[in-house]
Amino acid sequence: MSEVRVRIAPSPSGNLHIGTARTALFNYLFAKKNNGKFILRIEDTDAERTSQEYIDNIFDSLKALGLNWDEGPDVGGDYGPYTQSQRFDIYPKYAQILLDKGFAYECFCTPEELEQEKHEATQNKKAYVYSKKCVNLTEDEKAKLRAEGRKPALRFNIEKAQKAFHDSSILKFTDMVKGELHIDTDLLGDFVIMKSNGTPTYNFAVVIDDMLMKMTHVIRGEDHISNTFKQILIFEALGAEVPQFGHLGMILAPDRSKLSKRHGATAVSEFLEKGYLTEALVNFVALLGWSPSDGEELKTVDEIAQDFRIHELSSSNSIFEYDKLNWMNAQYIKKYSDEELGEKLKPYLTQYNLDELTHEQFIRMIEVTREPLKLLSDITDAVPYFFGEGVTIDADAQTKVLDTEVSQDVLKTFMEQAKDWEWTEENLHEKLEAFRGFYKEKGIKPKVTMWAIRVAVTGRTCGADMTAILAIIGKEKSFNRIKAAMKAKV
Ligand code: GLU
């Protein structure tokens, strides 16, 4: 069998969508599993919707996910260029071949005429199919239309191609994921392959590129199934080998509608900015269609590749559960050491002056705040009280905790007793235990005693281990904050 060659062919009309990332991942895994090649092709024929910013975003996002391509616009390869807008001189030649063989014909219909046809179909409650008005134009008629200044588009002659290669109007193929699929090609309508401005349409460019780039398998979303039938006919008409197709179910939001911004992040770069780890994203996205044979869902890309069998992918739609992704991200966060995680968290701590802490203090801060993190960005709101002089006291904490007699008493006593304490975490641990005991004897619950100190020092009723916080921010800062909390009451 020839070398497996698969591709991801994004259109740069937006940032790389998580759904496209899944298609890229499945192609990448398929190539890896079969020792094949994974190719990136940029489909930028729609100049109006294309932007360099989106192209850069596609590159960066795929690279961040580790989905490195063997051939592509930046790395080159034997079948380039890998950007469609640089291939415009290639397509007319193949259009001419189809024209010569009679599988394509010139269509002079104006947009207004086509609109009229569509309108009539709607009025008659019929699905619109092009009337084939131009299929039998004589050379004289064409010359006349040209003289009027009309420029023809090229349409594919479906009936002719279907009759040449199949017994009936039914076209079938065996999809690697969905099994046998078929369509009545009479319903397709002769579609445009070259626009009147000389540029190819998606369906034509994609076939020429897949053919010339020697793609053996095409794995993509099921929204392309109707295109696949058209593309098979073009491959056949060109006498080219038809690749094997595999269509993936759609990714839906938890409410079963199309995944969109209102559900949360949708672009890979947005997920990364929010603090999802690339390994969690890749692992999660793989589970949107693939299931591990051993039931263990947490897997590296290499492990997934070993266990990847395209025929076993789910042919139905997958639900994008943000909660599950958050859970998975938390699992991956847990795998990092404090040092490693500290480095990953730094980009989310730029609003704080990290120089206020020694390296040891910084690492201890990470150690005591990391437990509840689901996203890396959760750290931003978890640590403000480790920095700066004062703290903002939550309104609720002020009234419910600081304003009580008990709390004020606790703070006063704390200031008296703690002034002589040696300020190490070990010693503070011991002293605070005794301090709580002292109040317990007076009938005050340890929790209540600690709340007073916590709110005064952090401004909040909950957070990291209190002993660690006091040790990290130091005696002076702790005292200043407690003094401020006592004053606020007066
Ligand atoms: N440019 C197409 C898209 O982004 C590619 C489809 C294909 O894989 O053929 O949907």
Side-chain angles (χ1 to χ4, degrees):
M1 198 183 132
S2 57
E3 179 187 59
V4 163
R5 291 175 60 82
V6 291
R7 84 300 193 277
I8 183 70
S11 303
S13 55
N15 290 333
L16 187 81
H17 193 272
I18 193 76
T20 314
R22 181 193 58 164
T23 307
L25 172 65
F26 285 174
N27 277 283
Y28 175 87
L29 291 167
F30 187 72
K32 222 171 154 62
K33 174 87 190 240
N34 295 289
N35 293 318
K37 292 275 187 312
F38 172 60
I39 291 125
L40 170 63
R41 180 170 75 226
I42 298 292
E43 300 206 324
D44 60 346
T45 47
D46 186 349
E48 270 171 32
R49 298 177 65 206
T50 292
S51 92
Q52 187 56 43
E53 188 192 326
Y54 295 144
I55 296 179
D56 292 343
N57 182 276
I58 291 169
F59 276 46
D60 293 345
S61 304
L62 289 172
K63 277 186 194 156
L65 296 177
L67 304 177
N68 299 316
W69 46 97
D70 302 297
E71 296 167 29
D74 53 341
V75 294
D78 291 344
Y79 306 97
Y82 293 88
T83 300
Q84 276 184 337
S85 60
Q86 293 167 22
R87 299 172 64 80
F88 278 147
D89 55 334
I90 295 175
Y91 308 113
K93 182 176 137 197
Y94 293 94
Q96 190 61 46
I97 293 175
L98 292 181
L99 207 50
D100 293 346
K101 288 186 172 179
F103 290 126
Y105 60 91
E106 289 176 314
C107 170
F108 291 84
C109 292
T110 61
E112 293 73 29
E113 285 167 337
L114 295 171
E115 227 13 83
Q116 182 58 30
E117 281 191 2
K118 281 184 197 157
H119 180 71
E120 279 165 22
T122 317
Q123 295 231 307
N124 297 331
K125 295 197 166 55
K126 282 190 173 161
Y128 172 66
V129 173
Y130 173 60
S131 65
K132 298 178 77 127
K133 200 157 101 188
C134 295
V135 73
N136 289 321
L137 289 179
T138 63
E139 287 310 317
D140 279 353
E141 285 167 327
K142 288 189 214 170
K144 232 169 116 190
L145 289 160
R146 275 204 178 82
E148 280 176 23
R150 293 201 194 189
K151 282 207 171 100
L154 288 190
R155 281 187 190 268
F156 190 77
N157 190 334
I158 293 189
E159 194 185 348
K160 176 123 194 220
Q162 181 67 14
K163 281 203 170 131
F165 303 104
H166 303 276
D167 297 336
S168 71
S169 66
I170 304 299
L171 178 61
K172 290 183 200 160
F173 75 95
T174 306
D175 188 277
M176 291 187 286
V177 179
K178 292 186 176 282
E180 192 183 289
L181 297 174
H182 62 268
I183 200 171
D184 184 342
T185 53
D186 286 347
L187 304 174
L188 284 176
D190 288 353
F191 54 94
V192 173
I193 56 171
M194 291 291 276
K195 297 180 209 164
S196 57
N197 66 7
T199 60
T201 57
Y202 156 72
N203 274 313
F204 189 54
V206 89
V207 169
I208 303 306
D209 291 349
D210 284 342
M211 174 181 79
L212 296 178
M213 294 180 184
K214 298 199 184 324
M215 296 304 162
T216 56
H217 300 77
V218 171
I219 303 164
R220 60 188 172 195
E222 68 178 26
D223 48 333
H224 282 290
I225 290 178
S226 61
N227 288 325
T228 298
F229 289 108
K230 295 176 183 170
Q231 292 172 17
I232 290 173
L233 289 170
I234 303 177
F235 276 109
E236 290 175 337
L238 286 166
E241 198 163 327
V242 183
Q244 287 198 57
F245 291 93
H247 292 90
L248 310 168
M250 302 308 283
I251 299 176
L252 301 179
D255 63 5
R256 314 229 156 208
S257 64
K258 190 170 175 261
L259 191 67
S260 74
K261 287 207 182 306
R262 82 190 153 86
H263 300 108
T266 52
V268 169
S269 48
E270 265 177 276
F271 283 101
L272 297 179
E273 277 159 28
K274 285 190 173 199
Y276 288 95
L277 293 164
T278 53
E279 56 271 48
L281 264 184
V282 166
N283 193 162
F284 175 77
V285 159
L287 293 167
L288 300 172
W290 168 79
S291 5
S293 54
D294 63 1
E296 171 53 55
E297 292 195 322
L298 293 180
K299 289 258 191 318
T300 64
V301 175
D302 286 340
E303 287 165 346
I304 297 170
Q306 286 314 313
D307 197 23
F308 186 79
R309 282 169 297 274
I310 186 135
H311 299 93
E312 290 176 9
L313 291 182
S314 160
S315 64
S316 47
N317 296 333
S318 308
I319 306 293
F320 196 100
E321 305 278 6
Y322 286 90
D323 289 346
K324 180 166 179 182
L325 172 60
N326 290 349
W327 169 82
M328 191 166 269
N329 205 53
Q331 304 311 305
Y332 276 95
I333 287 178
K334 289 187 202 314
K335 288 179 192 260
Y336 284 104
S337 69
D338 297 325
E339 289 276 351
E340 289 165 336
L341 186 60
E343 283 311 307
K344 293 211 174 275
L345 293 173
K346 277 183 183 167
Y348 300 91
L349 296 170
T350 50
Q351 70 195 74
Y352 304 115
N353 178 11
L354 297 187
D355 292 341
E356 288 180 35
L357 305 181
T358 63
H359 182 67
E360 285 69 28
Q361 288 169 333
F362 174 74
I363 295 300
R364 183 72 183 129
M365 175 186 85
I366 300 299
E367 204 182 351
V368 296
T369 50
R370 62 180 291 170
E371 221 285 312
L373 299 182
K374 287 200 174 83
L375 308 185
L376 296 179
S377 57
D378 289 344
I379 196 69
T380 315
D381 191 45
V383 298
Y385 50 79
F386 287 100
F387 303 94
E389 287 307 316
V391 283
T392 314
I393 313 272
D394 288 349
D396 226 27
Q398 176 74 43
T399 48
K400 289 208 179 108
V401 180
L402 284 189
D403 288 351
T404 63
E405 294 283 328
V406 176
S407 292
Q408 289 297 319
D409 189 68
V410 166
L411 296 180
K412 190 165 153 271
T413 316
F414 182 83
M415 291 298 281
E416 284 161 14
Q417 294 195 9
K419 66 178 189 301
D420 301 324
W421 292 354
E422 184 201 350
W423 214 259
T424 61
E425 195 172 331
E426 209 185 351
N427 191 47
L428 283 170
H429 186 74
E430 231 172 73
K431 295 286 189 207
L432 279 172
E433 202 172 307
F435 186 74
R436 283 191 295 268
F438 170 77
Y439 268 96
K440 199 170 170 202
E441 278 182 15
K442 295 186 176 197
I444 310 294
K445 286 191 186 129
K447 199 168 73 180
V448 173
T449 311
M450 290 313 286
W451 257 344
I453 300 170
R454 182 179 290 284
V455 172
V457 174
T458 70
R460 303 172 172 196
T461 48
C462 55
D465 177 76
M466 201 54 227
T467 318
I469 296 172
L470 290 171
I472 293 168
I473 68 173
K475 191 172 195 171
E476 195 185 331
K477 221 182 246 184
S478 304
F479 277 22
N480 287 343
R481 290 183 187 176
I482 292 173
K483 276 186 219 154
M486 290 164 73
K487 266 201 202 117
K489 165 70 182 162
V490 178

